[in-house]
Amino acid sequence: MSRRMIIAVAVCTLLVVSLAAVAAVTTGGAPSVTVTPQVHRNGDQGYFRIVVQLPHGAPTAPPALVPHVDEGDLYLVNALAAQTGNDVDDEAEEEGDGAHTGQEMTVTGRFGHPGPARLTILARSAGGSPKPLMTLAFNLPEGDSANPGVRTEWARQQQIVLSSADPEARDSFNHYWQRVIAPQYGLAKSIGGDTARFRSEPPDLYSIFTGAAAIQESLQLELLGEGAQSPVQQKAIKKAKEGGGDGVPLSALTGPAVKSHPFREMLKGKSPQLPALAASIPTDQYAVFFSDIKKEIELADLMDEWGGNLLRQMETSARDFRVREKVSGQLCLENSWLTKLFGDRVVTAMAFTGNDPFLKEGTDFTILFALKDRERFRKQLEKRYAEAVAGRGAARSEFTVAGKRGMAVVSPDRRVSSYTLILGDMAVVSTSRPALERIVAAGEKRLPSLAEADDFRYMRTIFPQNAPEEDVFIYLSDPHIRALVGPRWKIGEARRMRCAGNMALIANARLWFKAERRREPTFTELAAGGYLGKKLPVCPDHGEYAIDKNGEPACSLHNRPGFLTPVGEVPLERVTSEEAAQYRAFVENYNRYWTQFFDPIGIRVKMGQDIRIQTCILPLIENSWYDGLAAFSGRNPGNLAETAVLPRTVVSLRGHMAPEWLTKTDLVRHLTEQNGLSLDWLGDEVALNLCDGQVLFTLGGRAMGMLGQEVGRSSLEPLVIGYLASALNLPTYLTVKVNDPRQAVEAIPRLFHALGPQHGRGDDFAIETYSLEDHRGRPLYVANFTLFVVKLRLYAAVVGDRLVIASRRDVITDLMDAATKKQGKSGAQHEGNMELSVYRSAFKELAEVVNLGWQEDQRHACQQNLPLAAIMLKGLGMPEDSLSKATFSLRGYQPYCPAGGRYIVDPQTGAVACTVHGSRSRPRQPAVGDESSPTLKLVNSLEKVNARLAFTPEGLMTTLEIRRKSGR
Ligand SMILES: [Zn+2]
Ligand SMILES: [Zn+2]
């Protein structure tokens, strides 16, 4: 469109406005204005534009004017005041300003059927509820009319509304719209915020930790030609291009070259008892064994409670992937039904197994049952299957695996996908038929099973079958971990992720098509209409894309987001040279940084009021962390007692010291050699304790998150580190066991002195030592350290069999009082080398800070959903109650507020907000005392968390104990 034409359009608009103003009629405060809109219409796609003078003093900020359709087939209507531009050209705007000095409003929108129409413009003023400002009555004429400026201006207003819904360009729909749709209207993309976020994090499909949702966003950008590639990928692609050719057979690729432990040798002379179901689980799969269904349900509840709240919290994401509902829905096995089977003694034991952990994205999942009453099991399952056929659109079928007949119910979208085989006194129910075939093959010894695997058998000597400490046993075998980093799984998963990225783009395109055309598109329509950008998305496995009647995109091979086809079901024989090069780069990297053994992981869980989780780290060779710990505490467990721990202690770290280690440290050498101090009285236990108190500063969540990632991306670590970090300025005390209290008391002044400055240092560092009045007949020493202007005072005394050095006097006197009254923490004793206790119930002054921190984290997580909610509710005019469902089919997760809020268009401000946390510009948060949120309830239900390390002949035994408050 030429510039002259735009000016002509603008001048016409002004004429229309003048005419409209004449026809103003006042009705009950809000004037009704009859206007003649400008119209562009081509078939069923109509656009209109109205420009009117705003009454004096009307609010003009973007969310202030809200159009409401009273009559007519109007949609995607936006009203903006003049400063946001009533024309597509700067020159034209200047002319407009010259002609009209007052405020103007431009209303644009789409229409379907022509005919009479009426719009009420609501105005919001700060703090007040919206009031009708004026009503616009107009007629939309029949027939086509070419007025492309109207179309462009509608698009421009839509762009402004979408951009202001997501000002920091956080949501991938915004990126899609700006890159694919805006150019179709001749608009430049307008993206605020930090788009570098995507570019700085290229999608590394071969990284060890894959966050599917984040990767999909980056993949979409790559598809649209704006993504980044990591140096590793660039190098790989360059290499592949140099190599040329048409691909590589998968068999030519080998996984990381790492050794296994010599399990056969380690097993020598031992024959552990094994779970019966282990004979049917292929050795390269993970396995979870349950002795009792109640334990499975308890664990699932716990995972929901923790996984659903706490862990997601730590990842600061308020997205619910509904994994539990999804998998039990696929299998047609609900917990209530399983409980009944166990209760009636139809089933005696149960195990879960699968090939990969991609439960969020979609994978195979198999349950094995040891049966007592196979006929009742079959009848019950038949009933479940009949219900799935009747109510969930699934089809019933039969199949044969290795000569054995099974039954299945499957729906085309895989929301129901259940295959069952009953083999003697075992039943196998799986979401995947190939996965079921593997179970049969393992049972018939055509595939190696866990029961025959040396690593599993060895682990069962450490964690014996039927031990009273075991309710659940989780096992990740050596071959399983190996398979997950092997070429078959890595490349298969990378292809799946690429396909899922394509489907994310298709889902965004479909969302816009539906908003604009008000019906579901077909894939062909999206492609032909330019909704998918210039380069059409291609499935890396040559699957075909389609959109089903519910508007969900699907690939003929990879199915759909959230229900992706398991990696093992998509054949993979040849890979492209690019994939081969990328995989080789991954292996090279892996070999460089992960040269340790592949360690199988066995985890034993005891459920109940107190939860105990144990795992054994097999001896690591040439590992500095492992060697350091072994040197510090000796390779044998000592005694870890909770003596001399005050009730107001919040964190206590206790360790067992090896005397050999102690004598080698610089400090002790310095003390004994240069000061002639005898340390014969020193025992072998040391503890560092932190007390409850006011915290002056806390480390931000971001720093916590960063630390957490450094430590290894485990979600619980930031919590622990956060507690430790915020406790830095709390009262602390160190206790050391002493063998001879009398000698220890005498040593205190000299000990302090030895810690002080050496001869020859100036006045800037000084120490003075004196003793205070005795408390309960015991001497108490004080050391004043002065460094420049900072003065640190330490107090020391011997209490019972402990030398205590504290940052505050009352800590020591309280300990002395407690020693005479036999108070203090329950004197629990454990064998071990190191133990960390967090006494949640002792958090009093600290509780406020911790709770406030939680509330802040929740708010941040919640607000990450606001851009998408704003796009859906405001940009596309979707009703509030359909947000959750629409997002699940768009993205495969439901956005939710961790504090229980809802996402709404705030009637006061017009901005999209959470009912609990407010909007981006006006955030709010519940008062600190409010403990009703599920996450806080969970945190506050804890009494104590204990983590313990103990060297055993088998390796390093780690135990995590979670004590929950009674009366929950
Ligand atoms: Zn595909
Ligand atoms: Zn919220």
Side-chain angles (χ1 to χ4, degrees):
M1 181 158 101
S2 76
R3 173 161 285 203
R4 191 171 300 159
M5 204 169 146
I6 297 169
I7 296 173
V9 168
V11 173
C12 287
T13 314
L14 296 177
L15 285 172
V16 171
V17 172
S18 325
L19 287 172
V22 177
V25 185
T26 308
T27 50
S32 178
V33 186
T34 304
V35 290
T36 308
Q38 285 191 297
V39 169
H40 172 82
R41 185 153 182 257
N42 180 12
D44 63 345
Q45 298 197 57
Y47 303 80
F48 67 89
R49 171 169 70 168
I50 299 161
V51 182
V52 289
Q53 195 75 23
L54 278 175
H56 203 72
T60 52
L65 300 170
V66 181
H68 180 267
V69 179
D70 299 323
E71 186 191 352
D73 189 16
L74 313 179
Y75 63 101
L76 293 178
V77 182
N78 295 305
L80 294 173
Q83 81 265 28
T84 45
N86 61 347
D87 285 295
V88 282
D89 193 283
D90 290 343
E91 276 176 50
E93 210 167 324
E94 274 165 32
E95 270 183 50
D97 286 346
H100 281 268
T101 46
Q103 281 283 11
E104 271 173 9
M105 167 180 66
T106 304
V107 184
T108 62
R110 302 283 297 258
F111 70 96
H113 301 295
R118 203 154 37 86
L119 281 173
T120 299
I121 307 297
L122 301 169
R124 302 171 203 279
S125 46
S129 52
K131 289 191 182 71
L133 188 68
M134 60 166 65
T135 301
L136 301 172
F138 51 98
N139 191 56
L140 293 161
E142 302 259 358
D144 285 1
S145 56
N147 201 347
V150 175
R151 178 177 175 270
T152 310
E153 190 162 352
W154 165 79
R156 202 167 98 156
Q157 290 210 335
Q158 186 67 36
Q159 181 176 42
I160 291 166
V161 170
L162 280 176
S163 302
S164 63
D166 179 16
E168 287 164 10
R170 293 197 170 271
D171 196 83
S172 84
F173 180 81
N174 196 2
H175 286 260
Y176 160 76
W177 202 93
Q178 305 286 355
R179 288 189 164 84
V180 179
I181 302 304
Q184 295 184 357
Y185 290 92
L187 302 174
K189 67 175 184 249
S190 141
I191 295 188
D194 178 20
T195 46
R197 177 169 77 95
F198 290 100
R199 287 205 196 94
S200 61
E201 289 171 34
D204 186 357
L205 295 174
Y206 293 84
S207 78
I208 296 176
F209 308 99
T210 312
I215 277 191
Q216 282 177 15
E217 288 176 350
S218 310
L219 281 175
Q220 178 187 273
L221 282 194
E222 203 184 67
L223 266 168
L224 300 175
E226 303 214 15
Q229 279 166 336
S230 70
V232 175
Q233 278 178 313
Q234 282 169 349
K235 221 173 96 191
I237 291 166
K238 196 165 155 256
K239 245 187 194 169
K241 279 187 182 143
E242 284 162 5
D246 57 334
V248 178
L250 183 70
S251 53
L253 296 175
T254 45
V258 252
K259 286 179 288 182
S260 289
H261 287 270
F263 290 108
R264 178 141 306 173
E265 216 167 283
M266 288 151 77
L267 253 175
K268 216 168 255 175
K270 292 170 184 159
S271 54
Q273 204 188 336
L274 302 174
L277 295 171
S280 294
I281 297 178
T283 178
D284 59 354
Q285 300 192 178
Y286 68 83
V288 186
F289 298 94
F290 299 93
S291 57
D292 186 338
I293 181 67
K294 284 197 206 95
K295 302 306 174 187
E296 189 275 329
I297 291 165
E298 265 183 62
L299 184 73
D301 285 346
L302 189 78
M303 303 259 283
D304 267 6
E305 199 177 348
W306 286 67
N309 282 299
L310 191 63
L311 299 186
R312 261 203 305 267
Q313 194 81 61
M314 301 315 301
E315 291 166 359
T316 56
S317 116
R319 297 168 167 183
D320 187 350
F321 288 86
R322 310 193 73 80
V323 167
R324 187 175 171 186
E325 289 94 330
K326 190 167 79 182
V327 175
S328 61
Q330 277 188 303
L331 290 169
C332 306
L333 300 178
E334 283 81 30
N335 269 331
S336 54
W337 182 68
L338 289 177
T339 318
K340 200 165 175 305
L341 285 187
F342 267 87
D344 297 350
R345 307 300 298 162
V346 177
V347 165
T348 55
M350 183 165 79
F352 293 167
T353 183
N355 280 293
D356 62 53
F358 309 128
L359 287 165
K360 261 198 287 204
E361 292 93 348
T363 184
D364 62 86
F365 188 80
T366 303
I367 307 185
L368 291 85
F369 296 95
L371 299 178
K372 207 157 195 176
D373 186 344
R374 53 177 282 166
E375 269 324 297
R376 266 186 77 192
F377 183 88
R378 176 191 294 281
K379 268 189 208 148
Q380 289 282 341
L381 197 66
E382 289 273 11
K383 241 166 84 185
R384 313 294 311 166
Y385 276 16
E387 283 167 19
V389 171
R392 299 175 58 203
R396 179 66 203 266
S397 62
E398 311 228 313
F399 62 94
T400 309
V401 168
K404 295 171 179 73
R405 288 183 69 76
M407 54 183 183
V409 276
V410 180
S411 66
D413 59 5
R414 251 192 134 112
R415 279 187 163 81
V416 179
S417 182
S418 181
Y419 298 83
T420 299
L421 263 184
I422 298 180
L423 307 161
D425 57 0
M426 181 179 77
V428 191
V429 186
S430 180
T431 61
S432 157
R433 206 183 121 169
L436 201 103
E437 282 166 10
R438 300 192 89 231
I439 301 282
V440 175
E444 294 178 348
K445 297 188 189 269
R446 286 181 283 115
L447 268 183
S449 75
L450 273 187
E452 296 162 337
D454 289 335
D455 62 323
F456 180 68
R457 290 159 57 83
Y458 178 72
M459 201 55 89
R460 231 44 189 134
T461 65
I462 302 175
F463 296 116
Q465 173 84 359
N466 298 329
E469 300 94 335
E470 177 181 306
D471 286 331
V472 183
F473 185 65
I474 302 163
Y475 190 63
L476 309 176
S477 71
D478 184 303
H480 175 62
I481 298 168
R482 216 168 268 272
L484 283 183
V485 296
R488 172 75 181 86
W489 234 255
K490 271 283 162 196
I491 296 174
E493 174 65 3
R495 285 190 178 184
R496 226 167 65 125
M497 283 293 103
R498 280 200 182 280
C499 184
N502 289 348
M503 288 193 272
L505 168 66
I506 298 168
N508 280 333
R510 171 261 169 185
L511 186 66
W512 176 242
F513 185 101
K514 199 181 171 209
E516 189 190 38
R517 311 287 289 270
R518 297 185 298 171
R519 64 177 172 84
E520 292 295 350
T522 63
F523 180 75
T524 321
E525 268 178 313
L526 288 185
Y531 288 86
L532 296 171
K534 291 192 189 84
K535 219 170 79 189
L536 286 188
V538 176
C539 167
D541 282 309
H542 311 294
E544 278 177 20
Y545 291 120
I547 292 173
D548 73 6
K549 61 180 193 312
N550 300 320
E552 285 187 356
C555 165
S556 58
L557 267 174
H558 294 107
N559 200 31
R560 60 196 63 217
F563 293 91
L564 293 177
T565 310
V567 175
E569 282 188 33
V570 180
L572 180 64
E573 273 152 26
R574 288 189 75 79
V575 303
T576 65
S577 4
E578 197 178 313
E579 285 169 329
Q582 283 178 337
Y583 181 73
R584 287 193 182 113
F586 160 76
V587 171
E588 205 176 291
N589 222 23
Y590 196 102
N591 284 342
R592 193 173 311 139
Y593 298 111
W594 301 75
T595 50
Q596 292 299 334
F597 286 95
F598 270 118
D599 259 349
I601 300 166
I603 302 167
R604 174 162 81 179
V605 184
K606 178 80 185 164
M607 303 296 303
Q609 179 78 37
D610 296 351
I611 297 158
R612 195 194 304 126
I613 301 163
Q614 282 182 298
T615 183
C616 183
I617 299 169
L618 298 179
L620 299 171
I621 292 153
E622 285 169 19
N623 178 300
S624 54
W625 174 81
Y626 193 93
D627 291 344
L629 187 63
F632 167 72
S633 67
R635 284 182 187 265
N636 298 311
N639 202 21
L640 296 170
E642 283 177 68
T643 46
V645 178
L646 277 181
R648 60 184 148 110
T649 305
V650 287
V651 177
S652 165
L653 178 68
R654 296 178 291 281
H656 177 264
M657 286 182 297
E660 312 87 71
W661 176 82
L662 199 64
T663 52
K664 279 186 206 140
T665 59
D666 285 347
L667 177 67
V668 171
R669 269 220 305 268
H670 172 77
L671 286 177
T672 48
E673 286 168 17
Q674 302 201 5
N675 295 281
L677 195 65
S678 160
L679 291 175
D680 296 341
W681 49 270
L682 201 58
D684 58 359
E685 280 178 62
V686 61
L688 180 66
N689 307 292
L690 306 173
C691 293
D692 188 31
Q694 288 285 347
V695 185
L696 301 176
F697 71 92
T698 50
L699 269 186
R702 192 173 198 135
M704 277 164 63
M706 266 157 43
L707 279 168
Q709 276 175 5
E710 286 298 309
V711 178
R713 299 203 182 211
S714 148
S715 299
L716 269 176
E717 275 155 351
L719 176 69
V720 176
I721 291 165
Y723 277 144
L724 287 179
S726 51
L728 275 176
N729 46 7
L730 294 175
T732 60
Y733 61 103
L734 181 84
T735 66
V736 185
K737 190 170 182 191
V738 293
N739 297 325
D740 185 337
R742 208 180 43 81
Q743 260 194 52
V745 173
E746 278 166 20
I748 292 174
R750 294 178 66 194
L751 195 63
F752 271 150
H753 207 76
L755 294 174
Q758 302 306 303
H759 302 291
R761 294 283 300 267
D763 295 334
D764 49 0
F765 184 42
I767 183 166
E768 78 176 317
T769 312
Y770 55 92
S771 66
L772 279 180
E773 195 182 319
D774 288 2
H775 183 81
R776 289 183 182 268
R778 303 300 229 126
L780 209 163
Y781 293 89
V782 185
N784 260 336
F785 294 87
T786 313
L787 181 61
F788 299 109
V789 290
V790 184
K791 198 174 246 189
L792 175 70
R793 211 169 274 129
L794 287 181
Y795 301 82
V798 172
V799 184
D801 63 350
R802 307 280 148 159
L803 166 67
V804 184
I805 301 173
S807 65
R808 274 169 47 173
R809 180 178 168 272
D810 57 331
V811 169
I812 296 200
T813 53
D814 283 0
L815 274 172
M816 287 173 164
D817 294 346
T820 49
K821 288 184 208 153
K822 300 263 178 236
Q823 282 175 344
K825 299 270 183 197
S826 62
Q829 283 209 7
H830 293 116
E831 285 244 304
N833 296 72
M834 197 163 274
E835 188 168 45
L836 175 75
S837 300
V838 178
Y839 304 94
R840 180 64 181 92
S841 50
F843 284 49
K844 301 255 154 48
E845 289 179 68
L846 209 54
E848 185 165 313
V849 179
V850 171
N851 284 2
L852 192 65
W854 278 114
Q855 304 271 17
E856 282 166 1
D857 286 351
Q858 287 193 336
R859 180 166 51 76
H860 293 151
C862 169
Q863 295 201 330
Q864 301 219 334
N865 287 324
L866 285 179
L868 180 66
I871 288 169
M872 302 279 238
L873 300 181
K874 286 201 57 136
L876 305 177
M878 211 174 260
E880 282 158 11
D881 52 9
S882 69
L883 177 68
S884 174
K885 197 163 168 263
T887 308
F888 193 76
S889 69
L890 178 69
R891 298 277 161 83
Y893 62 81
Q894 291 187 351
Y896 82 108
C897 167
R902 283 178 305 109
Y903 298 106
I904 55 154
V905 179
D906 188 332
Q908 302 264 303
T909 62
V912 167
C914 164
T915 51
V916 174
H917 294 116
S919 64
R920 283 187 87 80
S921 56
R922 287 192 197 173
R924 56 172 195 268
Q925 160 174 325
V928 169
D930 182 5
E931 295 180 356
S932 60
S933 88
T935 309
L936 267 182
K937 263 193 209 152
L938 169 69
V939 173
N940 291 334
S941 74
L942 301 177
E943 190 175 321
K944 178 183 171 188
V945 178
N946 225 20
R948 188 165 58 248
L949 295 173
F951 280 101
T952 66
E954 291 81 27
L956 191 57
M957 187 67 79
T958 67
T959 306
L960 181 71
E961 285 162 331
I962 299 160
R963 182 174 303 163
R964 296 189 278 183
K965 283 179 191 153
S966 48
R968 292 178 74 243

